[in-house]
Amino acid sequence: MSEVHDESNVTDPEHADHHIVSPLQYSYVFGTLLVFTAITVGAAYVDLKWLNPVIALGIASFKAVVVILFFMHVKYQSRLIKMTVGAGFFTFFVLIMMTMSDYISRAWGNW
Amino acid sequence: MSTSTTTILNLPDQATATLPKRNYLNAEHGLLSWLFTGDHKRIAMLYLFSITFFFFIGGAFAGLIRLELLTPQPDLVASDTYNKFFTMHGIIMIFLFLVPSVPATLGNFLIPIMLGAKDLAFPKINLLSWYLYMAGGTFTLAALVLGGVDTGWTFTTPLSTHYLNTHVITAATAIFIAGFSSIFTGLNFIVTIHRMRAPGMTWFRMPLFVWSNYAASILMVLGTPVLAIAIVLVALERTIGIGVFDPTKGGDPLLFQHLFWFYSHPAVYIMILPGMGVISEVISTFSRKRVFGYTAVAFSSVAIALFGFFVWAHHMFIMGVSNYSALVFSLLTMLVAVPSAIKIFNWAFTLQKGSLTFETPMLYAFGFMGLFTIGGLTGVFLGSLGMDIHLTETYFIVAHFHFVMVGGMLMAFLAGVHFWWPKMTGRMYPESLSKLAAVTTFIGFNLTFLPQFILGYLGMPRRYHSYPQEFQVLNVLSTAGATVLGVGYLLPMIYLGWSLKYGAIAGNNPWQATGLEWQIQSPPLTENFLVTPIMDHEAYDYEWLAHKTEQEVTTVG
Amino acid sequence: MANTIATTHDSLHPTLEHPHVHDEHVVLPQHRHHFETENQQREAGSFGMWLFLLTEIMFFGGLFFAYLLYRNWYYPAFASASNQLSVPLGAFNTVILISSGFCMALGVYYAEVRQKTMLVAMLILTTFFGVVFLGVKGVEYHEKWEKHHIPGSSFDISEFVNPPIDAKTGKATEEPLAPDMAQKTQVFFFLYFAMTGMHALHMIIGIAVLGWLTWRAHRFEFSNGYVAPIENFGLYWHFVDIVWLFLFPLLYLINRHPLK
Amino acid sequence: MHISPVLWQFLVKWLTASALFPREASTIAPYMDALYFFLLAMTILGLVLVGALLTFFSIRYRKERNPVATHIEGSTLLEATWTIIPLAIFLVCFVWGALLYFRIYSPPVNAMNIYVVGKQWMWKAEHPGGQHEINALHVPIGKPVQLTMISQDVFHSFSIPDFRVKREVIPGRYSTVWFEATTPGTYHIFCTQYCGTQHSGMIGEVTALTPDDYQKWTQESTSGMSLAQNGERLFASMGCNACHSGSAAARGPNLAGVYGSKLQLANGSQVLVNDAYLRDAILNPSQHVTAGFAPIMPTYQGQISEDGLIDLVEFVKNMPTNYRVQQTLVTSQSDQTAPTASGMVKP
Ligand code: HEA
Ligand code: HEA
Ligand code: CUA
Ligand SMILES: [Cu+2]
């Protein structure tokens, strides 16, 4: 068996250095998540009209991004992985938007 | 098999030729060595046998459908039984035959070799996906044996959830499991293509077969889970009456269709794209030329995969989606048809200034081009809103999708099986018989499905057990055609089986093709290559092939 | 053998500077023969895991869409029904799950730096939090059972039509719903059970795998720089967390103050 | 020898009885066929093009004539050509199809309305005049007819191929389609959406009649009660009249003349009152509370059949004043001692 490993592959955007995130950094992330959980719970008890869902979902998305970037190491991953994650959310977005567009426009009547 | 100028066939001297002593087929012995294999080539063979088995079951149902439709009266079987026929026919043909057909057999066998890899990235998951496939198949057979299902392959709610008491859940389980088999195949392909390419194998040196399977894999990974959740919801609705699809409880039955077609439209491209890859390889080899506009063909695969996600509601134009979104989806449907046109013309122009020979795979490929053009363009009929009102749910659709799926994909599959048969088994198939089979299928196919276009425009609804008198003549033609078609499909079964033992020894590269798979012994070794190949030329580089010295043949077993 | 993960952070290319590169290929037990290098194997593994997570996104995506749709259609029912859920329990569970994720992340770290004991400890903690989460979920489910909020024939809408009177203010605790709208709370509860149930199922599978990984870690299987299984499982576990991060606001929070 | 004349006769009969092209029996049909022929021409063009290329190249460049292939990489110009030309043709298909769709699914304002209820496995047509038909439909020629359709169970689809119209019949929601028959005769009705066991038996016949014949048919086949009259009875027997009495102090909004108007709802939105709205308001009243009224109306989900709903809709639709309502109220009140106790149905 040969040890030939394609050099062009090593420098290409599909690869990334292996990075180890330190426990300290994890702790910061952990703290951030806890703080934002507190904020989102708190915000739910304040009547902000239509802003309530927006804030709640905004915070949830923010927390999700933090988890993805740090706990799941995407920040230190290759472009390929980043695009993969993006593709997943993009397709989900297509599902929601295109289907919702049908439901919303049904209310507009015939034409 | 003559060596006249009309062929490129280049077989070793049959008097002295032998199959390689060591190859993946005889590397290990015994049934268990197959059932626990991690070798992508063996798994491909397992798949080949299983999907052929299911194809013939599905085909038997097709035969029964056509037999019943010979006469206008509902005389052969009861309505329920007829409904079970086309449901089982659809489910088996789609989920157990056409979706895995090219990817799981040819793709499995060839993609690692074409990339210069020893195996797929996850051999165990590959094996797992075959087991899942078999489990799905078993559940389908169970549903069949227990009494069948009659939902139609589309499982329309609320019919499937509240109004039928057949084995819907068993069939749903089958599809759920088979779906995961397809997800894992796709996942494996994507990882392999990204991670396992040999040195020098850049993206634009990959054979187009790999590109199109890559595109199909994306669809499998992103689309299939939505089908899975839709199926789970149907099962829950049936068992505990949750109401999300039940209008009397405030649910929307169309929601199911949205979820179902979100998968099932991309699924039709899962079904056609790998076939298109086969056509690229075959056309190139038998015209001794690089595919015209390689990049255009490669990107059009990706474009089909991408746009394929935006058009699903064209299956629901008259079902109660809003008129506005019908407009949008119709427009997008027109856009998704363009990349297919690009491919067809690129293939046609590949022939230009080539040096053409017409072996069986090429005949099938020609069949594909003609029939897929008809099938695809009649898809444009259906995508055109006003026309769809008249044509939807009639035999026009039946004809449309059989043209693309049977005339297109099945032809491509057969082209591929013939083309790579020498590689997979080390032996040639009998050429003149196979040409006969190709011509028979072509004639039989047109006789079966062309009349259905006329029937459709006349208004004959699909899934009809009996029909008005005046449609009979065309239906008789169709049934007659199906008989011819059936013969056309049985022939390869017979002679390919025969060739396993008696076929001429093929040698490494009977077609003198350029792909990496043709540079190794046939049948290949278990790990394909003795030395990892280094790709230093473009795909389809016949110059390179002509100047290739013997040493460059990377492995001879 | 190409996979020596340095224990110090300043090693930039741990995989490339390997003394044995030109030697006979030495095969570590975890190295699958069909990969050229272990780095290739590792990257393939994590990429594969990510693709699997994509399918999970789309799988849950269907449920999320159903929720979105019916929340728009039956807004008052969703608001009232959602107020039946306990925010404190939900918030507690969120914290539990974040902690579990944190431990998992640390677990990956200790695997990388080859500290077996800490790795095992972290895996056990992760499992522990996961079990607590499920326990709390069980309590919540039980409460729904007692209040007849499980969709089905025994589903009881009376509480939504005639909300209980608050003892102090003497007013109804909730806007009363018209009976036809109250019926639609079933849709909410169905989606609640489907989504959290599907999530819990993923957790149960995760906990089973955790047990297996803990056992393997205990047997020093991840103590020589081979971290791929831990790392990939971590991705799965974090993904399950993320699903909850959305379920919590959607089901518990955003309907506290229904628009009038 | 003896058999052949018989066989021949049989064959002739068989072939003459068969059809190759559907009749054009509605005003839409020629438009549909025009688009069809355009699309057919496109297909033939595409097929001839591809076929010609394949044949020509196969003959010209087969190995005997061209033993050595010449390499061509590709051509951006050609790629652009066969991207843009098909795209342009497909866009024409889109626009043309969209216009036709628009035409078929936008009924003219003066169309006469017929209700169709689909259920496993029959079609029930209900004319406003009270004529009921099963698996049959009588329509006049030269007059636009709109079908307001609903399914009682699963999806069905109402299709008249010779008219080139078709529309899904949806459970829980009205859908409409319209046509104008041009030639008297009988034409197939098919259920084209798979709906279970007897799907293929869910067929019927449209009879297009000259206006005179139609007149005659309506008179002969009336059941004596129009839909609106049936609706009026229901309106009284279900107790609707108690609240929707039309008087100023009534608990429910006044329904006279409400059809076709824009209504301000309690939740702030404005809606057009049409058949679908009326039906929904009966089944899910709380989502359709008129501004200024309390959400006290009970739901009638599961208590009225689709036919009943059609009667009610038809009644409200044709209710210029509250005179008849008050009449029924008076008769029903007269035999009740405490007038205030009447009406309210318990939730
Ligand atoms: C392999 C499977 C496959 C493929 C590839 C396609 C391809 C296409 N399909 Fe098809 N389709 C099905 C399988 C497939 N379909 C199935 C199974 C159903 C029915 C499901 C059910 O209800 O049971 C269906 C149903 C279906 C419908 C729904 C009909 C209805 O229910 O009312 C529609 C509507 O838009 C449609 C459209 C198209 C289009 C526009 C394409 C396009 O992608 C086609 C593109 C190809 C071409 C256009 C040909 C090449 C072009 C040229 C050579 C250029 C020609 C030159 C000129 C224009 C001059 N299909
Ligand atoms: C890959 C997909 C695929 C394939 C290959 C086929 C192949 C064929 N199909 Fe299929 N078909 C579908 C997919 C496919 N079909 C789908 C998805 C539907 C819709 C289902 C639904 O509505 O839900 C459908 C529906 C469908 C109908 C419409 C039924 C209806 O609406 O009422 C018809 C009718 O003619 C038909 C015919 C055929 C024929 C003649 C073949 C032929 O090509 C088959 C030729 C093969 C053989 C004939 C097999 C040869 C084997 C033998 C001869 C052995 C015989 C053994 C015994 C009899 C014991 N098909
Ligand atoms: Cu009703 Cu088919
Ligand atoms: Cu489609």
Side-chain angles (χ1 to χ4, degrees), chain B residues 94 98 153-154 261 265 268-269 271-272 314-317 333-334 336-338 340-341 344-345 372-373 375-377 379-380 382-384 388 391-393 397 400-401 404-405 409 462-463, chain D residues 42 45-46 49-50 85-86 89-90:
Chain B
I94 298 263
L98 210 56
W153 82 282
T154 49
W261 290 114
H265 181 79
V268 310
Y269 295 121
M271 292 181 244
I272 199 73
H314 67 207
H315 295 270
M316 307 153 65
F317 278 157
T333 301
M334 296 304 167
V336 78
V338 174
S340 306
I344 293 274
F345 286 115
F372 179 74
T373 302
L377 287 171
V380 176
L382 300 170
S384 172
D388 188 56
L391 296 177
T392 187
E393 294 154 6
I397 295 195
H400 155 66
F401 65 71
V404 275
M405 299 202 297
M409 184 61 168
R462 62 190 286 203
R463 299 170 170 174
Chain D
M42 170 191 80
L45 172 75
L49 210 62
V50 174
I85 293 181
I89 298 181
F90 294 159

Side-chain angles (χ1 to χ4, degrees), chain B residues 48 52 55-56 97 101-102 106 275 278-279 282 360-365 406 408-421 424 429 434 437-438 441-442 485 488-493 495-496:
Chain B
L48 186 62
T52 309
F55 171 72
F56 278 96
F97 174 65
S101 62
V102 170
L106 300 174
V278 173
I279 300 302
V282 170
T360 312
M362 189 67 154
L363 293 190
Y364 277 115
V406 185
M409 184 61 168
L410 191 50
M411 286 266 179
F413 175 67
L414 286 170
V417 168
H418 284 89
F419 184 58
W420 281 292
W421 191 253
M424 294 193 286
Y429 56 83
S434 63
T441 38
F442 187 78
L485 194 53
Y489 292 136
L490 280 174
L491 274 177
M493 269 294 282
Y495 64 71
L496 287 181

